[in-house]
Amino acid sequence: MQYNVSVLYPSDARSVVVGGVNGQFKTVFQKLGALHAKNNFAFAIVAGDLFAASLEAESTDAADVQALVDGSIDVPLPTYFALGNHPLPPAVGQKLESEDEVCHNLFFLGKRTTMKTSEGIRIVALGGQLDQNIIAGQSKDKYLPFYTETDAKILRGATTADILITNEWPEGIQKRSKVEFNPEAQPSMRQCIADLDVILKPRYHFSTSGNTFYEREPFFHQPSDDTDNLYPVTRFISLASFGNPNKQKWIYAFSLEPSASHPVSPPTGSTACPVTLSEKKRGAPEHREQHLVYDDGSRGRRGNKRRKGESRGPITASECFFCLANENIATHLVASIGENSYLTTAKGPLPASQTYPKLGFPSHMLIIPFSHQATLGSMEEEERHATYAEMQRYRRAMNSMLKSVADTEYGSVTWEASKSSLPHTHWQYLPVSADLISKGLVEAAFKALAENLHWPKFEKEDVGDGFEETSDFFRVLVWNPKDDPDKQTSYVMRFDEKIRFHNQFGREVLAKLLRLDNRVDWKNCGQTQAQEEQDVEKFKEAFKNFDFAA
Ligand SMILES: [Zn+2]
């Protein structure tokens, strides 16, 4: 063989990963075809740029891209390509707007992805470079090679990965390593990518490094209950580009059995994990991350402790719109990401942008736990305490924001339907004018509608994190701006299946109270994405001095 790579394959190789292809995909697919004929790979990964940096309209490169999109270049096996340093060619972007694949067998991983191959291998990918200047908005375009810290944080919700693919390197990856690495250009190293290694504990982490290959000693993660006291091992491999002048390794075959168990002790030649979680610097406990459960979508109460050997289930696109790991959630609505929960603006907010003139934005917010659980009460103790505390912290922080903007003009109402048949618990938060609160009209409005519907009575009572509760309940937390921002008056209505509780109850009451009857259905309050983004920006601006997670 003329390729210096052919000797590298172990006999049981099942998949293959290549570095940057930089537009030479015709040649690379031919080579992959020849290797695939001998090795029968399950799939291939292109960890770096598949396409060249830019295309002259009349060039052969542009003609090749067109031929690829038209399906006249053979892609010999399922191939997943990442987003590297180059934007996708427009013809490819256009094709992906209407189709899932660029051509038969060729799939774009996207800039922020969690997916599962048909072999059950879970791939998490973060493409492009960290967008240092988000104001420019480049990170929002899905075919431009930029990502944000939020994109990286969202992927932490995937909980686990078999393969992690990132264009940039994790901060600190060379620590504890004896392997030499003398690149022409140092790869950018990012703490947010180090966080992904710590949390996802991938079996393989693939990246690229220009004309230089780097394979670190495998590193092991500390055993814990969550790893069944075994040692998960990560192999970090950074490939050179195809055709690099140094003849460095640009292709790597590997075999991966997703159900294989982790070793009982650190393998020979491995090192301890070189990277650390950013939270550690702030003193947060590491094990918290292991509770970022991504559920398989089964509804209802469910402990978040996996049984040994129990499958984690596939991540599919449309399952849960409150799970941060869901790639289809509207991430442009996200306003703040905490340790256990996050804050988003409501889609189709009840108030309009001018309902609260002193704010100038709806400020209808959702406080959503990371954990995919029906109720706070069904979370495990530690997670429940931390999550409830942080949701309250968000409520207080927003109350402080209202006070800073409007003095004592607006108070707030926070409500929650704690119902075991709901997929993912959350709170809704809304400002209301202070006189409605001081006159007792908020409390009266909830009680009156419940009474009209012949539902159980509201009790003035605080049920905390809900753990003691044995039935479904609906609660309202009212804050009077004359009080400190952490004060609340809590009302609870417990109910069972004898009543037909509807989940829009809280919104319905407030629509009547605020004389926004025509906006009771959120679907009638649709905004364009530009309007939504504007409201998020205005909220963030007002909230920035109170955002403890920023
Ligand atoms: Zn969820």
Side-chain angles (χ1 to χ4, degrees):
M1 289 284 289
Q2 77 246 52
Y3 318 127
N4 62 349
V5 295
S6 58
V7 294
L8 304 173
Y9 296 98
S11 56
D12 61 340
R14 290 288 301 138
S15 306
V16 66
V17 55
V18 307
V21 172
N22 299 321
Q24 301 183 63
F25 45 84
K26 260 169 94 171
T27 321
V28 168
F29 286 141
Q30 275 168 18
K31 289 183 191 296
L32 282 178
L35 294 166
H36 180 50
K38 285 185 202 159
N39 293 278
N40 193 25
F41 294 128
F43 58 86
I45 292 168
V46 178
D49 285 294
L50 182 62
F51 298 102
S54 63
L55 298 172
E56 301 295 328
E58 302 296 320
S59 66
T60 42
D61 280 356
D64 283 351
V65 169
Q66 197 54 51
L68 186 70
V69 169
D70 293 342
S72 44
I73 292 177
D74 181 41
V75 181
L77 73 166
T79 301
Y80 303 95
F81 71 101
L83 188 62
N85 293 314
H86 310 155
L88 294 195
V92 174
Q94 274 161 28
K95 182 74 181 275
L96 289 171
E97 287 299 308
S98 55
E99 314 257 343
D100 291 338
E101 46 184 28
V102 177
C103 58
H104 177 61
N105 269 346
L106 186 57
F107 306 94
F108 178 46
L109 282 169
K111 83 168 50 173
R112 187 193 78 220
T113 309
T114 53
M115 56 90 61
K116 215 169 200 184
T117 70
S118 52
E119 296 77 26
I121 292 173
R122 181 186 297 244
I123 299 179
V124 173
L126 182 66
Q129 308 155 21
L130 183 64
D131 188 353
Q132 306 275 29
N133 185 14
I134 296 164
I135 299 133
Q138 290 173 306
S139 54
K140 287 179 189 156
D141 187 308
K142 50 190 171 171
Y143 305 128
L144 286 181
F146 299 98
Y147 69 91
T148 62
E149 295 263 2
T150 304
D151 287 321
K153 275 190 170 179
I154 284 169
L155 287 178
R156 293 159 48 158
T159 322
T160 65
D162 296 309
I163 298 173
L164 173 64
I165 305 166
T166 60
N167 183 50
E168 297 187 312
W169 278 26
E171 179 76 47
I173 188 68
Q174 288 173 277
K175 273 186 220 154
R176 297 180 174 149
S177 170
K178 295 195 176 77
V179 179
E180 275 199 44
F181 177 62
N182 300 304
E184 289 150 24
Q186 275 293 339
S188 304
M189 306 204 192
R190 306 293 180 192
Q191 179 57 48
C192 60
I193 293 178
D195 289 345
L196 291 179
D197 275 317
V198 175
I199 292 162
L200 303 179
K201 302 180 178 54
R203 292 171 193 259
Y204 284 96
H205 181 170
F206 296 121
S207 189
T208 58
S209 36
N211 290 332
T212 315
F213 174 81
Y214 175 72
E215 177 173 7
R216 194 198 182 285
E217 301 89 335
F219 58 90
F220 59 87
H221 304 267
Q222 286 305 325
S224 69
D225 280 355
D226 227 55
T227 68
D228 295 329
N229 292 311
L230 300 172
Y231 288 79
V233 173
T234 298
R235 289 178 166 77
F236 178 78
I237 294 156
S238 186
L239 292 135
S241 293
F242 170 71
N244 70 80
N246 308 338
K247 302 237 181 304
Q248 296 255 315
K249 202 186 286 185
W250 62 273
I251 184 165
Y252 184 95
F254 61 100
S255 91
L256 202 162
E257 175 50 62
S259 60
S261 81
H262 302 299
V264 293
S265 60
T268 315
S270 63
T271 77
C273 183
V275 300
T276 50
L277 197 62
S278 49
E279 272 81 5
K280 276 199 147 176
K281 294 167 192 160
R282 305 210 303 264
E286 181 180 359
H287 55 248
R288 183 193 58 75
E289 296 297 340
Q290 291 154 357
H291 292 285
L292 299 187
V293 169
Y294 195 92
D295 206 331
D296 59 4
S298 62
R299 301 296 186 232
R301 279 178 200 276
R302 188 174 190 273
N304 65 357
K305 200 85 179 163
R306 279 188 312 277
R307 281 184 298 276
K308 221 171 185 171
E310 185 185 343
S311 122
R312 294 182 170 103
I315 293 174
T316 62
S318 56
E319 277 184 9
C320 177
F321 287 97
F322 294 122
C323 273
L324 261 186
N326 181 340
E327 62 185 279
N328 283 352
I329 67 163
T331 50
H332 67 280
L333 302 178
V334 175
S336 171
I337 298 180
E339 305 280 312
N340 297 276
S341 61
Y342 69 103
L343 197 61
T344 78
T345 59
K347 201 156 182 68
L350 176 61
S353 296
Q354 284 311 319
T355 300
Y356 307 112
K358 290 215 166 156
L359 293 175
F361 53 91
S363 201
H364 182 173
M365 305 302 291
L366 272 58
I367 309 170
I368 306 171
F370 288 158
S371 176
H372 183 75
Q373 295 283 338
T375 65
L376 278 165
S378 52
M379 293 177 189
E380 285 184 356
E381 183 177 8
E382 198 170 347
E383 180 181 42
R384 184 177 73 243
H385 289 169
T387 304
Y388 176 71
E390 192 176 76
M391 293 171 82
Q392 281 288 14
R393 200 172 172 196
Y394 270 126
R395 189 185 68 88
R396 285 199 300 273
M398 289 193 281
N399 289 346
S400 303
M401 173 196 80
L402 292 181
K403 212 157 195 169
S404 78
V405 177
D407 195 18
T408 56
E409 197 160 317
Y410 306 133
S412 71
V413 178
T414 307
W415 69 96
E416 171 193 359
S418 177
K419 198 173 165 209
S420 56
S421 59
L422 290 176
H424 194 137
T425 188
H426 60 278
W427 290 2
Q428 299 202 36
Y429 175 96
L430 200 68
V432 290
S433 74
D435 60 314
L436 291 175
I437 293 171
S438 54
K439 288 176 186 157
L441 294 174
V442 173
E443 177 193 345
F446 277 98
K447 287 181 170 170
L449 187 57
E451 206 176 306
N452 279 351
L453 293 163
H454 306 288
W455 288 358
K457 274 196 154 54
F458 271 95
E459 308 289 341
K460 187 169 170 180
E461 190 183 334
D462 186 352
V463 298
D465 66 14
F467 185 64
E468 303 290 327
E469 295 303 297
T470 52
S471 70
D472 292 340
F473 64 86
F474 179 90
R475 72 164 136 193
V476 190
L477 309 174
V478 180
W479 173 65
N480 187 326
K482 293 196 186 83
D483 295 332
D484 284 341
D486 60 342
K487 276 272 161 57
Q488 63 181 27
T489 311
S490 173
Y491 304 91
V492 180
M493 176 185 67
R494 297 181 178 87
F495 60 90
D496 56 24
E497 61 282 356
K498 285 195 224 90
I499 71 159
R500 285 178 48 201
F501 180 81
H502 47 271
N503 301 329
Q504 293 302 310
F505 174 64
R507 184 176 177 120
E508 224 174 288
V509 170
L510 287 155
K512 286 200 162 61
L513 185 67
L514 301 174
R515 302 183 189 285
L516 295 166
D517 297 73
N518 57 331
R519 298 180 65 89
V520 66
D521 186 347
W522 69 274
K523 295 189 202 83
N524 295 335
C525 309
Q527 296 174 292
T528 64
Q529 180 156 338
Q531 288 165 335
E532 289 174 344
E533 282 170 359
Q534 198 180 38
D535 283 341
V536 175
E537 282 317 309
K538 284 182 180 163
F539 173 85
K540 280 169 139 175
E541 179 60 28
F543 190 57
K544 69 177 181 207
N545 292 334
F546 306 96
D547 186 0
F548 52 87

